Amino acid sequence: MTSSLTEPAALDLGPAVDRAAARRFAQTHLAPLAGRFDQDGRVPRETLDRIGAAGLWAPFLPVEYGGRGASMLTVGHVHEEVGRACSSVRSLLTVHGMVSWAVLRFGGPEQRERWLPRFAAGTVLGAFCLSEPGAGSDAANLTTRATRGARGWVIDGVKRWITGGQRAGLFLVFARTGGGIGAFLVPRDAPGVTVTPIHGMLGTRGSMLAEITFDGAQAGPDALVGPDGFAAGMVMTGVLDLGRYSVAAGSVGILQACLDACARYSAQREVSSGPLCDLQLIRAKLSDMVTDTRAARLLYEEAGRLKDRGDAGTIMATWVAKYFASVAAARHAAEAVQIHGAAGCAPGHPVERLFRDAKVMEIIEGSNEIQRITIAADAYREVAHG
């Protein structure tokens, strides 16, 4: 994988992408190295190459563009298994998938032909540029601006907390225009683009966050994705929905990893009365983990099925799935640390990393506070409409 804008290699789809394949890949190539990715604050190039060879970057893309034509339900399964092994890698899959989906759904024929084969192969990685120093969940506060120039679009502004920004070759940038908010494809090597790495975040430390500065950045006349001024209601809504879906599935992966670690540890750990797993309070904690993991999985799978059917109800189903799964992941990651005791607090311990990663899930792709407002508003609408 490189960030240069090169053509993909000859099409070779390889084995099918499904949950079993994703699990084998994640447990072989990600889980043993997840601690190192976290410590180093990056995912190395060879791992990114392996992800591309396995067809995991954007498996929902059509075969004609080098994708696997996978269903959204399958994408959820892939992101769960990757999240179970390494939330940092799952975060990279999330934002790359968001950019890929935006081009597939709203891009013109030339944009699709130019970018989608590269996205499918991973020869160009995408990053989603929405958050700013003064604008997070509330996109109404965006200050980045795009204006038409003699040679295309000129973009000025700063985007912060950009997942994958250190590696991405193409940025999907949301900016204000004369007509509202537009979405723009801006290459990393465009004049006026500066990438500044962000280190030491609480969780998903290997996801290579960056601050991206656009100082009179030249985007070109064909940079706009979808109609000018409608990105907030069209592109942004759809892309964030896919991001929340991925986070919901990834949160289930964290839950499953916590359950695996706690069941293993408590079965082996001896206390004065015998195995730790014989204590009723420990069994109660694991029982709750099992229940919430299964419930969260059912919620995101239902959202995936609705997406595959083209049912508009998938938007709210995804909100609910992301909210429930992220809250459950944070709760049970804390319990996993508690069960492991001092060992679970030690730097480099898997549950210590899971605890930090789980907290991030409650914030990204719409904070849980925003989600609760949105979910409640939907309930009131249903009552009002009988």
Side-chain angles (χ1 to χ4, degrees):
M1 201 291 306
T2 66
S3 61
S4 61
L5 309 184
T6 57
E7 293 295 339
L11 185 62
D12 180 10
L13 295 183
V17 170
D18 56 20
R19 180 191 284 277
R23 180 178 298 173
R24 288 193 299 270
F25 179 89
Q27 295 304 311
T28 300
H29 298 294
L30 303 180
L33 299 173
R36 182 181 300 174
F37 300 161
D38 183 78
Q39 182 178 14
D40 293 346
R42 67 182 186 89
V43 178
R45 175 176 172 174
E46 54 266 28
T47 299
L48 302 179
D49 286 341
R50 288 192 178 103
I51 294 170
L56 300 182
W57 279 118
F60 57 84
L61 289 177
V63 173
E64 66 192 270
Y65 294 115
R68 305 304 176 92
S71 68
M72 280 298 168
L73 179 60
T74 296
V75 171
H77 291 158
V78 169
H79 286 210
E80 177 190 338
E81 294 298 335
V82 171
R84 179 181 178 183
C86 180
S87 287
S88 290
V89 173
R90 196 273 312 148
S91 292
L92 295 174
L93 295 188
T94 300
V95 295
H96 182 77
M98 292 164 77
V99 177
S100 301
W101 187 89
V103 175
L104 175 66
R105 177 65 178 82
F106 298 105
E110 292 184 2
Q111 290 173 326
R112 291 195 293 269
E113 290 294 334
R114 180 181 182 187
W115 297 115
L116 294 185
R118 300 170 184 179
F119 289 158
T123 56
V124 174
L125 295 187
F128 176 72
C129 295
L130 176 62
S131 295
E132 298 179 358
S137 296
D138 184 6
N141 290 329
L142 286 181
T143 60
T144 298
R145 292 196 170 274
T147 56
R148 290 186 184 273
R151 293 181 292 178
W153 291 92
V154 180
I155 299 179
D156 291 278
V158 177
K159 298 295 184 177
R160 189 174 289 174
W161 322 122
I162 305 306
T163 298
Q166 295 178 36
R167 285 275 190 177
L170 189 70
F171 302 114
L172 179 64
V173 183
F174 290 85
R176 293 197 174 279
T177 69
I181 295 178
F184 300 88
L185 296 173
V186 184
R188 180 194 191 92
D189 57 6
V193 176
T194 302
V195 177
T196 304
I198 297 175
H199 301 294
M201 295 296 289
L202 173 69
T204 62
R205 289 178 176 172
S207 61
M208 299 180 285
L209 270 68
E211 178 176 283
I212 317 296
T213 301
F214 302 93
D215 185 7
Q218 303 294 317
D222 59 347
L224 184 67
V225 179
D228 182 13
F230 290 90
M234 296 173 59
V235 184
M236 192 184 302
T237 298
V239 170
L240 285 172
D241 175 65
L242 180 59
R244 282 189 286 271
Y245 178 63
S246 172
V247 173
S251 295
V252 175
I254 291 175
L255 281 162
Q256 188 64 57
C258 289
L259 178 57
D260 296 341
C262 290
R264 187 180 305 110
Y265 177 79
S266 62
Q268 298 171 351
R269 179 76 161 89
E270 291 286 336
V271 294
S272 58
S273 60
L276 186 63
C277 63
D278 284 349
L279 299 180
Q280 290 185 351
L281 282 176
I282 298 299
R283 289 188 172 237
K285 292 177 187 294
L286 261 70
S287 175
D288 288 348
M289 282 189 196
V290 170
T291 302
D292 282 352
T293 300
R294 294 190 179 191
R297 182 176 291 124
L298 290 172
L299 284 172
Y300 93 69
E301 288 181 335
E302 176 61 14
R305 293 187 186 95
L306 291 173
K307 291 185 194 315
D308 288 328
R309 294 205 299 264
D311 191 318
T314 187
I315 300 292
M316 183 51 57
T318 302
W319 276 106
V320 172
K322 193 270 184 182
Y323 172 62
F324 183 88
S326 62
V327 170
R331 173 194 170 195
H332 293 301
E335 291 284 33
V337 172
Q338 191 74 18
I339 289 171
H340 284 77
C345 298
H349 195 286
V351 298
E352 182 264 349
R353 171 170 47 81
L354 291 168
F355 174 75
R356 290 186 286 103
D357 289 347
K359 184 58 193 175
V360 175
M361 302 305 107
E362 293 191 299
I363 299 172
I364 58 176
E365 313 308 346
S367 69
N368 280 358
E369 288 74 18
I370 297 294
Q371 291 181 90
R372 294 172 81 175
I373 293 171
T374 303
I375 292 168
D378 186 69
Y380 286 121
R381 278 194 297 270
E382 288 192 5
V383 170
H385 294 143

